[in-house]
Each structure stands twice: as structure tokens, then as C-alpha cells.
Amino acid sequence: MEQKEIELLKLLEKNGRMDNDTISKMLDVAPVEVEEMIKKLEKEHAILGYSTLVDWSTVYEYEGVAALIDVKVTPVRGVGFDKIASRIYRFPEVKAVYLMSGSYDLSVSVEGKTMMEVSRFVSDKLSTLDTVLSTTTHFILKKYKHDGIIFDEGDDDDKRIMVTP
């Protein structure tokens, strides 16, 4: 991958809404070249999608719950952790799955409408999978920073969208 493509990915990762003209000036290339690079990176699956980071605590009457679940599993011969990770990430409640080092194997990020809904997901769906040995659920009480963006930094708009290097 070329250096300009890596720089482009870093810019889009910080702000997926940045327009091609702005990017072209920052990378010192033509806007059409930016468009071609983006199409190439999408085709190669370096760019998997575009998303918006929402501070749900500011949305009136939104009552969602998020949790991180530590999962210990028995790896399957020949496929390791991939098969169980695949089964887990297919549940609609699951937002992310990571293979971890340390005292547990997988870290699973889930969201639900209530704590009871997340608890039922763990007890009825996740912990009943054949290779799952144990789970530990950690409910998220407050977000301070996510994907480099600081939450609740006051009313100053410049601080709310601050992206750290």
C-alpha cells in the first residue's frame, strides 16, 4: 500500500465526511485521484464502511444499555477461536468481538434496550454455546472517550469533536 493511501485512510478514519477537495489539498493530489484511491481501498476492503459516532446520552428518551463481556472458550482443533467468534458475532445484539490475550479469550461488546435484555442474551444465547466455558459481564456506566473522540467535554463545540492523535 502506498504512503498516500495510508494518509488517506488516517484522514477518513478521523472524519469520514471529509470531502474529496479538502482531502486532495491535504494530500497534495488531484481530487479525481482521491476518488480513485477511495474506490480502490473500498474494493480491497481496507475501507469497510462509514459510520457516525453518536453520544446517545444526549438523545432525549433514549434508554439503551451497553456491556463488555469477557468470554472464556475452548478453541476448536483446526480453526482455533475463529469458529466460536463467528457464531458470536452473528447475534444482532453483538456490536464487536475481539480475540484477547490474558485471562479470557474473547471480549464481546453488546447493546440492548435494558440490563435485563443484555442479561438474557448472556444467559440464554451466549453462555449456552458449546465451547463457552464462562462469561463475565461489565455494564458500561458512562463513556468518556470512544474512537479518539472525547465525550462530555462541556458546551464548547471544539472540545466535543476533539480527536486525539
mmCIF file of all heavy atoms in Angstrom, residues 74-102:
data_model
loop_
_atom_site.group_PDB
_atom_site.id
_atom_site.type_symbol
_atom_site.label_atom_id
_atom_site.label_comp_id
_atom_site.label_asym_id
_atom_site.label_seq_id
_atom_site.Cartn_x
_atom_site.Cartn_y
_atom_site.Cartn_z
ATOM 1 N N THR A 74 -13.340 -22.869 24.801
ATOM 2 C CA THR A 74 -12.447 -23.946 24.402
ATOM 3 C C THR A 74 -12.247 -23.829 22.901
ATOM 4 O O THR A 74 -13.219 -23.933 22.140
ATOM 5 C CB THR A 74 -13.073 -25.325 24.719
ATOM 6 O OG1 THR A 74 -13.363 -25.381 26.110
ATOM 7 C CG2 THR A 74 -12.135 -26.448 24.325
ATOM 8 N N PRO A 75 -11.013 -23.570 22.439
ATOM 9 C CA PRO A 75 -10.805 -23.456 20.988
ATOM 10 C C PRO A 75 -11.046 -24.792 20.296
ATOM 11 O O PRO A 75 -10.873 -25.853 20.894
ATOM 12 C CB PRO A 75 -9.343 -23.029 20.868
ATOM 13 C CG PRO A 75 -8.721 -23.298 22.186
ATOM 14 C CD PRO A 75 -9.798 -23.384 23.204
ATOM 15 N N VAL A 76 -11.467 -24.719 19.052
ATOM 16 C CA VAL A 76 -11.758 -25.921 18.270
ATOM 17 C C VAL A 76 -10.531 -26.275 17.431
ATOM 18 O O VAL A 76 -9.958 -25.402 16.769
ATOM 19 C CB VAL A 76 -12.989 -25.677 17.353
ATOM 20 C CG1 VAL A 76 -13.255 -26.884 16.470
ATOM 21 C CG2 VAL A 76 -14.203 -25.326 18.187
ATOM 22 N N ARG A 77 -10.153 -27.547 17.465
ATOM 23 C CA ARG A 77 -8.985 -28.010 16.712
ATOM 24 C C ARG A 77 -9.138 -27.658 15.233
ATOM 25 O O ARG A 77 -10.167 -27.886 14.624
ATOM 26 C CB ARG A 77 -8.817 -29.529 16.870
ATOM 27 C CG ARG A 77 -7.553 -30.082 16.201
ATOM 28 C CD ARG A 77 -7.407 -31.569 16.391
ATOM 29 N NE ARG A 77 -7.325 -31.955 17.785
ATOM 30 C CZ ARG A 77 -6.207 -31.978 18.510
ATOM 31 N NH1 ARG A 77 -5.077 -31.607 17.944
ATOM 32 N NH2 ARG A 77 -6.221 -32.355 19.767
ATOM 33 N N GLY A 78 -8.093 -27.079 14.681
ATOM 34 C CA GLY A 78 -8.067 -26.742 13.259
ATOM 35 C C GLY A 78 -8.567 -25.348 12.931
ATOM 36 O O GLY A 78 -8.186 -24.792 11.912
ATOM 37 N N VAL A 79 -9.442 -24.779 13.765
ATOM 38 C CA VAL A 79 -9.965 -23.430 13.489
ATOM 39 C C VAL A 79 -9.746 -22.474 14.658
ATOM 40 O O VAL A 79 -10.065 -21.297 14.559
ATOM 41 C CB VAL A 79 -11.466 -23.458 13.116
ATOM 42 C CG1 VAL A 79 -11.676 -24.135 11.777
ATOM 43 C CG2 VAL A 79 -12.301 -24.086 14.195
ATOM 44 N N GLY A 80 -9.220 -22.969 15.766
ATOM 45 C CA GLY A 80 -8.918 -22.113 16.906
ATOM 46 C C GLY A 80 -10.158 -21.424 17.443
ATOM 47 O O GLY A 80 -11.173 -22.066 17.743
ATOM 48 N N PHE A 81 -10.073 -20.113 17.551
ATOM 49 C CA PHE A 81 -11.163 -19.316 18.110
ATOM 50 C C PHE A 81 -12.107 -18.767 17.033
ATOM 51 O O PHE A 81 -13.156 -18.215 17.347
ATOM 52 C CB PHE A 81 -10.587 -18.144 18.914
ATOM 53 C CG PHE A 81 -9.787 -18.582 20.097
ATOM 54 C CD1 PHE A 81 -8.408 -18.633 20.029
ATOM 55 C CD2 PHE A 81 -10.411 -18.953 21.277
ATOM 56 C CE1 PHE A 81 -7.654 -19.047 21.126
ATOM 57 C CE2 PHE A 81 -9.675 -19.361 22.377
ATOM 58 C CZ PHE A 81 -8.299 -19.410 22.299
ATOM 59 N N ASP A 82 -11.727 -18.907 15.764
ATOM 60 C CA ASP A 82 -12.491 -18.290 14.675
ATOM 61 C C ASP A 82 -13.930 -18.789 14.595
ATOM 62 O O ASP A 82 -14.853 -18.004 14.359
ATOM 63 C CB ASP A 82 -11.791 -18.519 13.330
ATOM 64 C CG ASP A 82 -10.459 -17.792 13.242
ATOM 65 O OD1 ASP A 82 -10.187 -16.917 14.090
ATOM 66 O OD2 ASP A 82 -9.675 -18.108 12.320
ATOM 67 N N LYS A 83 -14.151 -20.084 14.781
ATOM 68 C CA LYS A 83 -15.496 -20.651 14.635
ATOM 69 C C LYS A 83 -16.442 -20.113 15.709
ATOM 70 O O LYS A 83 -17.555 -19.691 15.403
ATOM 71 C CB LYS A 83 -15.448 -22.173 14.688
ATOM 72 C CG LYS A 83 -16.787 -22.820 14.409
ATOM 73 C CD LYS A 83 -16.673 -24.328 14.317
ATOM 74 C CE LYS A 83 -18.029 -24.940 14.009
ATOM 75 N NZ LYS A 83 -17.950 -26.399 13.921
ATOM 76 N N ILE A 84 -16.005 -20.085 16.959
ATOM 77 C CA ILE A 84 -16.879 -19.584 18.022
ATOM 78 C C ILE A 84 -17.050 -18.074 17.896
ATOM 79 O O ILE A 84 -18.142 -17.556 18.130
ATOM 80 C CB ILE A 84 -16.378 -20.000 19.433
ATOM 81 C CG1 ILE A 84 -17.396 -19.607 20.502
ATOM 82 C CG2 ILE A 84 -15.030 -19.403 19.742
ATOM 83 C CD1 ILE A 84 -18.719 -20.309 20.406
ATOM 84 N N ALA A 85 -15.992 -17.365 17.493
ATOM 85 C CA ALA A 85 -16.117 -15.915 17.290
ATOM 86 C C ALA A 85 -17.151 -15.623 16.208
ATOM 87 O O ALA A 85 -17.982 -14.723 16.349
ATOM 88 C CB ALA A 85 -14.771 -15.301 16.928
ATOM 89 N N SER A 86 -17.141 -16.413 15.153
ATOM 90 C CA SER A 86 -18.100 -16.247 14.063
ATOM 91 C C SER A 86 -19.531 -16.482 14.547
ATOM 92 O O SER A 86 -20.448 -15.748 14.171
ATOM 93 C CB SER A 86 -17.757 -17.209 12.928
ATOM 94 O OG SER A 86 -18.734 -17.165 11.926
ATOM 95 N N ARG A 87 -19.731 -17.500 15.362
ATOM 96 C CA ARG A 87 -21.078 -17.758 15.903
ATOM 97 C C ARG A 87 -21.537 -16.587 16.768
ATOM 98 O O ARG A 87 -22.697 -16.188 16.717
ATOM 99 C CB ARG A 87 -21.088 -19.048 16.725
ATOM 100 C CG ARG A 87 -21.046 -20.289 15.856
ATOM 101 C CD ARG A 87 -21.307 -21.545 16.618
ATOM 102 N NE ARG A 87 -22.677 -21.625 17.091
ATOM 103 C CZ ARG A 87 -23.101 -22.522 17.964
ATOM 104 N NH1 ARG A 87 -22.263 -23.408 18.466
ATOM 105 N NH2 ARG A 87 -24.355 -22.550 18.339
ATOM 106 N N ILE A 88 -20.625 -16.047 17.565
ATOM 107 C CA ILE A 88 -20.987 -14.959 18.474
ATOM 108 C C ILE A 88 -21.280 -13.675 17.715
ATOM 109 O O ILE A 88 -22.277 -13.000 17.989
ATOM 110 C CB ILE A 88 -19.876 -14.748 19.534
ATOM 111 C CG1 ILE A 88 -19.812 -15.957 20.471
ATOM 112 C CG2 ILE A 88 -20.110 -13.463 20.313
ATOM 113 C CD1 ILE A 88 -18.617 -15.960 21.405
ATOM 114 N N TYR A 89 -20.447 -13.300 16.744
ATOM 115 C CA TYR A 89 -20.670 -12.003 16.087
ATOM 116 C C TYR A 89 -21.900 -11.992 15.183
ATOM 117 O O TYR A 89 -22.355 -10.938 14.754
ATOM 118 C CB TYR A 89 -19.426 -11.463 15.379
ATOM 119 C CG TYR A 89 -18.885 -12.188 14.171
ATOM 120 C CD1 TYR A 89 -19.629 -12.381 13.017
ATOM 121 C CD2 TYR A 89 -17.558 -12.623 14.169
ATOM 122 C CE1 TYR A 89 -19.097 -13.006 11.911
ATOM 123 C CE2 TYR A 89 -17.006 -13.252 13.058
ATOM 124 C CZ TYR A 89 -17.790 -13.440 11.934
ATOM 125 O OH TYR A 89 -17.249 -14.065 10.829
ATOM 126 N N ARG A 90 -22.501 -13.114 14.927
ATOM 127 C CA ARG A 90 -23.730 -13.156 14.126
ATOM 128 C C ARG A 90 -24.991 -12.782 14.920
ATOM 129 O O ARG A 90 -26.018 -12.481 14.333
ATOM 130 C CB ARG A 90 -23.891 -14.528 13.486
ATOM 131 C CG ARG A 90 -22.805 -14.814 12.462
ATOM 132 C CD ARG A 90 -22.979 -16.150 11.765
ATOM 133 N NE ARG A 90 -21.794 -16.525 11.040
ATOM 134 C CZ ARG A 90 -21.375 -15.959 9.910
ATOM 135 N NH1 ARG A 90 -22.050 -14.972 9.386
ATOM 136 N NH2 ARG A 90 -20.272 -16.373 9.310
ATOM 137 N N PHE A 91 -24.922 -12.769 16.246
ATOM 138 C CA PHE A 91 -26.071 -12.335 17.044
ATOM 139 C C PHE A 91 -26.281 -10.839 16.842
ATOM 140 O O PHE A 91 -25.321 -10.061 16.874
ATOM 141 C CB PHE A 91 -25.843 -12.608 18.540
ATOM 142 C CG PHE A 91 -25.894 -14.054 18.926
ATOM 143 C CD1 PHE A 91 -24.764 -14.700 19.396
ATOM 144 C CD2 PHE A 91 -27.085 -14.778 18.839
ATOM 145 C CE1 PHE A 91 -24.805 -16.033 19.775
ATOM 146 C CE2 PHE A 91 -27.134 -16.111 19.213
ATOM 147 C CZ PHE A 91 -25.994 -16.743 19.681
ATOM 148 N N PRO A 92 -27.523 -10.392 16.643
ATOM 149 C CA PRO A 92 -27.770 -8.964 16.399
ATOM 150 C C PRO A 92 -27.411 -8.059 17.587
ATOM 151 O O PRO A 92 -27.114 -6.883 17.397
ATOM 152 C CB PRO A 92 -29.271 -8.896 16.091
ATOM 153 C CG PRO A 92 -29.847 -10.165 16.614
ATOM 154 C CD PRO A 92 -28.751 -11.179 16.587
ATOM 155 N N GLU A 93 -27.393 -8.587 18.783
ATOM 156 C CA GLU A 93 -27.044 -7.792 19.964
ATOM 157 C C GLU A 93 -25.555 -7.452 20.007
ATOM 158 O O GLU A 93 -25.144 -6.497 20.664
ATOM 159 C CB GLU A 93 -27.378 -8.571 21.256
ATOM 160 C CG GLU A 93 -28.823 -8.902 21.440
ATOM 161 C CD GLU A 93 -29.235 -10.252 20.829
ATOM 162 O OE1 GLU A 93 -28.493 -10.814 19.997
ATOM 163 O OE2 GLU A 93 -30.315 -10.735 21.196
ATOM 164 N N VAL A 94 -24.755 -8.231 19.309
ATOM 165 C CA VAL A 94 -23.301 -8.087 19.352
ATOM 166 C C VAL A 94 -22.840 -6.994 18.399
ATOM 167 O O VAL A 94 -23.157 -7.013 17.214
ATOM 168 C CB VAL A 94 -22.619 -9.434 19.031
ATOM 169 C CG1 VAL A 94 -21.112 -9.272 18.916
ATOM 170 C CG2 VAL A 94 -22.982 -10.472 20.076
ATOM 171 N N LYS A 95 -22.071 -6.042 18.938
ATOM 172 C CA LYS A 95 -21.545 -4.938 18.138
ATOM 173 C C LYS A 95 -20.087 -5.148 17.745
ATOM 174 O O LYS A 95 -19.635 -4.620 16.746
ATOM 175 C CB LYS A 95 -21.686 -3.612 18.894
ATOM 176 C CG LYS A 95 -23.120 -3.283 19.248
ATOM 177 C CD LYS A 95 -23.990 -3.249 18.017
ATOM 178 C CE LYS A 95 -25.456 -3.129 18.364
ATOM 179 N NZ LYS A 95 -26.332 -3.498 17.275
ATOM 180 N N ALA A 96 -19.332 -5.909 18.571
ATOM 181 C CA ALA A 96 -17.923 -6.157 18.272
ATOM 182 C C ALA A 96 -17.461 -7.402 19.024
ATOM 183 O O ALA A 96 -17.975 -7.711 20.099
ATOM 184 C CB ALA A 96 -17.069 -4.958 18.675
ATOM 185 N N VAL A 97 -16.469 -8.104 18.442
ATOM 186 C CA VAL A 97 -15.851 -9.261 19.084
ATOM 187 C C VAL A 97 -14.347 -9.163 18.835
ATOM 188 O O VAL A 97 -13.914 -8.942 17.703
ATOM 189 C CB VAL A 97 -16.380 -10.604 18.515
ATOM 190 C CG1 VAL A 97 -15.678 -11.786 19.165
ATOM 191 C CG2 VAL A 97 -17.879 -10.712 18.687
ATOM 192 N N TYR A 98 -13.571 -9.351 19.912
ATOM 193 C CA TYR A 98 -12.116 -9.271 19.830
ATOM 194 C C TYR A 98 -11.490 -10.508 20.463
ATOM 195 O O TYR A 98 -11.925 -10.939 21.530
ATOM 196 C CB TYR A 98 -11.591 -8.038 20.582
ATOM 197 C CG TYR A 98 -12.200 -6.738 20.133
ATOM 198 C CD1 TYR A 98 -13.261 -6.173 20.835
ATOM 199 C CD2 TYR A 98 -11.714 -6.065 19.015
ATOM 200 C CE1 TYR A 98 -13.826 -4.975 20.439
ATOM 201 C CE2 TYR A 98 -12.276 -4.860 18.613
ATOM 202 C CZ TYR A 98 -13.328 -4.323 19.322
ATOM 203 O OH TYR A 98 -13.887 -3.139 18.921
ATOM 204 N N LEU A 99 -10.453 -11.058 19.839
ATOM 205 C CA LEU A 99 -9.650 -12.104 20.445
ATOM 206 C C LEU A 99 -8.643 -11.404 21.346
ATOM 207 O O LEU A 99 -7.962 -10.463 20.922
ATOM 208 C CB LEU A 99 -8.927 -12.930 19.374
ATOM 209 C CG LEU A 99 -8.008 -14.045 19.869
ATOM 210 C CD1 LEU A 99 -8.796 -15.093 20.669
ATOM 211 C CD2 LEU A 99 -7.297 -14.702 18.697
ATOM 212 N N MET A 100 -8.542 -11.854 22.591
ATOM 213 C CA MET A 100 -7.733 -11.159 23.596
ATOM 214 C C MET A 100 -6.606 -12.049 24.113
ATOM 215 O O MET A 100 -6.700 -13.272 24.058
ATOM 216 C CB MET A 100 -8.620 -10.758 24.788
ATOM 217 C CG MET A 100 -9.843 -9.949 24.417
ATOM 218 S SD MET A 100 -9.473 -8.364 23.672
ATOM 219 C CE MET A 100 -8.831 -7.492 25.081
ATOM 220 N N SER A 101 -5.595 -11.418 24.656
ATOM 221 C CA SER A 101 -4.596 -12.149 25.424
ATOM 222 C C SER A 101 -4.950 -11.939 26.890
ATOM 223 O O SER A 101 -5.645 -10.979 27.229
ATOM 224 C CB SER A 101 -3.188 -11.618 25.133
ATOM 225 O OG SER A 101 -3.077 -10.279 25.563
ATOM 226 N N GLY A 102 -4.502 -12.822 27.748
ATOM 227 C CA GLY A 102 -4.773 -12.649 29.172
ATOM 228 C C GLY A 102 -5.661 -13.733 29.728
ATOM 229 O O GLY A 102 -5.668 -14.864 29.252
#
